[in-house]
């Protein structure tokens, strides 16, 4: 009788843990799929909110920036208020962002609720989730949950463009965010299954270090976003960001020498493998961010694709990344991680380099198939190897802090890639459009001057259909000439934007030469 009771209790406990693992995977799925929904829905969001492509792109970059700038702080908040509470607060932040997107009537609401509140939610959720997995599961069960959550992230990255494209085209982009909020509600309904994980370390808070980290990463990316929008004080923001990051390094070292609490332990960077891994993580995310802002804009503004068509066109990149990451994770064997990482960056670089001459000539999205598969395969190799390579030399008790630092570097790289590629694209568009207008034999001098003034304050990637609506009332010859200039200028601007991920790929390849001189670390659990 007692054995039956024990067996029933064990089965019940197993079912509870399996359900908790599923809910954690659902939370990760929402986290990753969120940005994909925005990328493939850019044109629909621009149209419904009566805003600009650069405005939506700025919101996407800002969301990644906020999560990066606050993730180290979010980890410490979880230590102080409890990991379970931080997990709930993170989910609620994301839910607020999703609901706001479902009802937003202007870009301001998107920037505040989705980018800022949602970004802070992500910064709380990610480190808390890792701690809760570590504290609620053990042994083989823990490894399986980490694998399940990782698979959920990979699947979200793979199907995100297709799912977002389908919902946006046949229903509404707002419906996608309603579904996000519904998934979060389901995850929160199972919060009773989560056992909190107590924190036994120092409860000291490095407030000044936290401020320096936010000002440092925020200043650099905000400076780029302000440049993109034609604002002032760009140099001041960039200098302030760089100075704050430099100051943070000296501050952390000083606090460490005095034995005071630090935002992150500078001794982590004594490992050359960790330093190289973090820098490669950042370069990988710069390449991904630059690619994932330039290509959706190209497909939706130049080829005038709807969200479904854009999602299908981007599917080769995301699906090949997912497939290769899965395959490489299983078949890596005794191959050196350094060699696989090098091939990853080589394939990313080759794929984007092949895209450059195709962009001005492609009349349909499937013309991008081969280079997207190559670049996706490279990203898949990087995804399969970089985290293990970076965290392998870190001891078990410090792996959570190291993972937070690694995540912050990746999120900063993503936001930098999104912002910088967008800024380069708009700067090139403005320059090219102005040059072509001034050399036009059709546009009168007054019209050339007006075009230059408008672009100086409001450069914007625009489809020909939208441009023709704005030009109603102009003489037909002038309309045709401006549309022709727009048709010729946009591919050049998008090629310039693709130089950002291309440069990140090249730097990644060069960095692997330094990695090759270091002995490979043992595989991380």
């Amino acid at each position: 009788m007692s054995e039956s009771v024990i067996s029933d209790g064990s089965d019940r406990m197993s079912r509870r843990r399996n359900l908790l693992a599923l809910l954690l995977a659902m939370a990760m799925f929402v986290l990753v799929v969120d940005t994909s929904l925005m990328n493939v829905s850019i044109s629909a969001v621009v149209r419904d909110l009566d805003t600009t492509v650069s405005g939506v792109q700025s919101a996407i970059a800002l969301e990644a920036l906020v999560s990066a700038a606050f993730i180290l702080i979010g980890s410490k908040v979880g230590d102080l208020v409890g990991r379970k509470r931080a997990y709930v607060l993170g989910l609620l932040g994301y839910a607020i962002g999703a609901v706001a997107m479902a009802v937003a009537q202007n870009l301001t609401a998107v920037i505040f609720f989705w980018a800022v509140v949602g970004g802070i939610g992500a910064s709380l959720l990610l480190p808390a989730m890792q701690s809760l997995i570590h504290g609620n599961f053990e042994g083989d069960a823990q490894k399986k949950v980490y694998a399940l959550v990782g698979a959920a992230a990979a699947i979200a990255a793979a199907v995100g463009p297709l799912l977002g494209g389908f919902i946006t085209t046949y229903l509404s982009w707002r419906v996608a965010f309603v579904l996000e909020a519904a998934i979060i509600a389901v995850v929160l309904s199972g919060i009773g299954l989560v056992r909190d994980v107590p924190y036994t370390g120092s409860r000291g808070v490095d407030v000044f270090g936290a401020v320096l980290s936010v000002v440092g990463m925020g200043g650099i990316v905000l400076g780029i976003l302000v440049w993109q929008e034609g604002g002032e004080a760009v140099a001041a923001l960039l200098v302030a960001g760089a100075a704050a990051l430099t100051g943070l390094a000296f501050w952390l070292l000083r606090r460490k020498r005095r034995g005071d609490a630090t935002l992150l332990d500078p001794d982590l960077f004594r490992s050359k493998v960790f330093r190289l891994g973090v820098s490669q993580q950042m370069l990988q995310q710069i390449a991904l961010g630059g690619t994932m802002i330039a290509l959706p804009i190209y497909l939706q503004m130049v080829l005038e694709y709807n969200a479904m068509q854009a999602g299908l066109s981007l599917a080769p990149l995301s699906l090949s990344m997912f497939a290769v990451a899965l395959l490489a994770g299983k078949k890596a064997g005794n191959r050196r991680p350094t060699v696989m990482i090098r091939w990853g960056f080589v394939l990313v670089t080759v794929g984007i380099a092949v895209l450059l001459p195709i962009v001005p000539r492609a009349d349909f999205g499937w013309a991008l198939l081969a280079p997207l598969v190559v670049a996706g395969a490279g990203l898949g190799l990087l995804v399969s190897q970089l985290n293990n390579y970076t965290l392998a030399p870190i001891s078990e008790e410090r792996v959570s802090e190291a993972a937070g630092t690694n995540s912050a570097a990746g999120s900063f790289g993503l936001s930098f890639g999104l912002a910088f590629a967008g800024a380069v694209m708009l700067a090139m568009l403005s320059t090219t459009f102005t040059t072509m207008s001034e050399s036009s034999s059709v546009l009168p001098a007054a019209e050339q001057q007006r075009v230059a003034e408008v672009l100086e304050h409001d450069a914007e990637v625009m489809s020909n259909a939208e441009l023709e609506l704005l030009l109603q009332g102009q003489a037909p010859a002038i309309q045709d000439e401006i549309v022709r200039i727009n048709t010729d200028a946009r591919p050049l601007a998008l090629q310039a934007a693709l130089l950002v991920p291309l440069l990140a790929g090249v730097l990644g390849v060069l960095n692997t030469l330094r990695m090759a001189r270091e002995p490979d670390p043992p595989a991380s659990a």
Side-chain angles (χ1 to χ4, degrees):
M1 185 71 174
S2 61
E3 289 182 3
S4 175
V5 172
I6 292 171
S7 177
D8 288 345
S10 177
D11 289 344
R12 191 160 49 249
M13 181 65 71
S14 178
R15 286 195 297 271
R16 285 170 63 90
R17 287 182 175 174
N18 288 340
L19 180 56
L20 175 58
L22 179 62
L23 292 174
L24 289 166
M26 290 169 66
M28 179 57 77
F29 182 90
V30 168
L31 264 174
V32 176
V33 84
D34 186 69
T35 303
S36 295
L37 296 177
M38 282 292 282
N39 281 330
V40 298
S41 305
I42 285 176
S43 61
V45 175
V46 167
R47 182 176 60 253
D48 289 357
L49 300 185
D50 192 24
T51 185
T52 63
V53 173
S54 63
V56 176
Q57 181 258 319
S58 296
I60 294 171
L62 185 62
E63 195 269 349
L65 166 65
V66 171
S67 64
F70 286 92
I71 197 166
L72 295 175
I73 301 170
S75 179
K76 190 62 181 180
V77 168
D79 294 341
L80 297 176
V81 307
R83 275 66 178 268
K84 182 176 179 178
R85 187 173 296 168
Y87 177 69
V88 171
L89 290 173
L91 286 169
L92 289 174
Y94 240 71
I96 289 170
V99 171
M101 287 299 295
V103 300
Q105 300 300 311
N106 54 57
L107 185 63
T108 302
V110 174
I111 288 174
F112 181 77
F113 290 106
W114 182 77
V116 177
V117 176
I120 291 174
S123 72
L124 288 167
L125 185 57
L126 281 168
M129 186 185 297
Q130 178 163 327
S131 296
L132 290 175
I133 293 173
H134 205 73
N136 282 264
F137 302 90
E138 56 187 24
D140 289 341
Q142 185 184 97
K143 293 179 182 178
K144 288 178 181 177
V145 175
Y146 273 122
L148 179 63
V149 171
I155 291 169
V159 306
L162 292 170
L163 185 64
F166 178 84
I167 294 173
T168 300
T169 301
Y170 298 109
L171 297 171
S172 166
W173 58 273
R174 296 181 188 275
V175 172
F177 289 98
V178 170
L179 293 174
E180 265 195 35
I183 294 173
I184 293 171
V186 171
V187 174
L188 284 170
S189 71
I191 198 63
L193 299 171
V194 179
R195 183 178 73 250
D196 203 358
V197 180
Y199 174 68
T200 57
S202 169
R203 302 187 72 84
V205 179
D206 182 7
V207 176
F208 189 63
V211 171
L212 285 176
S213 72
V214 173
V215 172
M217 288 187 280
I220 290 173
V221 176
L222 283 177
I224 295 169
L225 292 177
V226 169
W227 170 44
Q228 172 185 298
E229 295 295 325
E232 299 177 355
V234 173
L237 284 168
L238 293 175
V239 170
L245 288 178
T246 304
L248 176 62
F250 285 105
W251 174 256
L252 293 175
L253 290 170
R254 180 177 176 227
R255 297 270 295 184
K256 180 71 175 179
R257 283 196 298 268
R258 290 166 49 183
D260 295 332
T262 56
L263 179 66
L264 62 94
D265 188 348
D267 285 349
L268 286 172
F269 293 92
R270 290 185 182 276
S271 166
K272 193 169 183 180
V273 168
F274 182 75
R275 293 200 307 272
L276 288 168
V278 166
S279 64
Q280 293 291 66
Q281 185 79 264
M282 186 167 64
L283 288 171
Q284 176 214 349
Q285 292 296 322
I286 290 173
L288 180 61
T291 304
M292 292 307 292
I293 199 63
L295 290 180
I297 290 175
Y298 168 75
L299 293 165
Q300 294 173 74
M301 298 295 136
V302 177
L303 300 185
E304 302 190 26
Y305 276 8
N306 61 31
M308 186 66 203
Q309 292 168 316
L312 284 170
S313 299
L314 291 171
L317 178 73
S318 54
L319 292 176
S320 61
M321 180 171 69
F322 172 61
V324 171
L326 199 63
L327 188 64
K330 290 181 177 180
K331 303 292 184 181
N334 294 323
R335 295 178 180 85
R336 289 196 68 190
T338 299
V339 173
M340 297 181 73
I341 292 169
R342 178 183 302 159
W343 274 109
F345 276 111
V346 166
L347 290 174
V348 168
T349 304
V350 169
I352 295 171
V354 173
L355 275 176
L356 288 173
I358 292 177
V359 164
R361 297 172 176 84
D363 295 322
F364 51 92
W366 286 103
L368 311 179
L369 173 64
L372 287 184
V373 168
V374 171
L379 289 168
L381 283 176
L382 295 175
V383 167
S384 73
Q385 300 298 315
L386 267 179
N387 280 332
N388 274 345
Y389 177 89
T390 305
L391 300 180
I394 307 301
S395 61
E396 179 70 19
E397 64 270 15
R398 301 174 67 194
V399 73
S400 180
E401 183 182 16
T405 305
N406 192 38
S407 295
S411 296
F412 175 71
L414 181 66
S415 63
F416 181 87
L418 288 164
F420 194 48
V424 168
M425 178 174 59
L426 292 180
M428 185 66 178
L429 181 71
S430 176
T431 301
T432 307
F433 210 114
T434 301
T435 302
M436 289 182 173
S437 298
E438 290 175 348
S439 62
S440 172
S441 58
V442 177
L443 296 179
E447 195 68 28
Q448 294 175 5
Q449 181 63 30
R450 193 173 73 85
V451 167
E453 289 175 356
V454 168
L455 282 173
E456 183 178 352
H457 297 287
D458 191 26
E460 186 57 53
V461 180
M462 190 175 293
S463 70
N464 284 343
E466 293 170 321
L467 187 58
E468 287 167 358
L469 288 175
L470 289 178
L471 293 173
Q472 286 180 352
Q474 294 281 354
I478 291 179
Q479 288 188 38
D480 293 343
E481 181 68 359
I482 293 179
V483 168
R484 181 195 66 80
I485 292 172
N486 189 51
T487 302
D488 293 341
R490 290 174 310 182
L492 292 174
L494 290 161
Q495 283 178 309
L498 287 171
L499 292 177
V500 173
L502 180 67
L503 179 60
V506 170
L507 291 175
V509 173
L510 294 176
N511 224 10
T512 59
L513 301 179
R514 298 169 60 203
M515 292 170 67
R517 293 197 288 268
E518 298 297 314
D520 284 334
S524 168

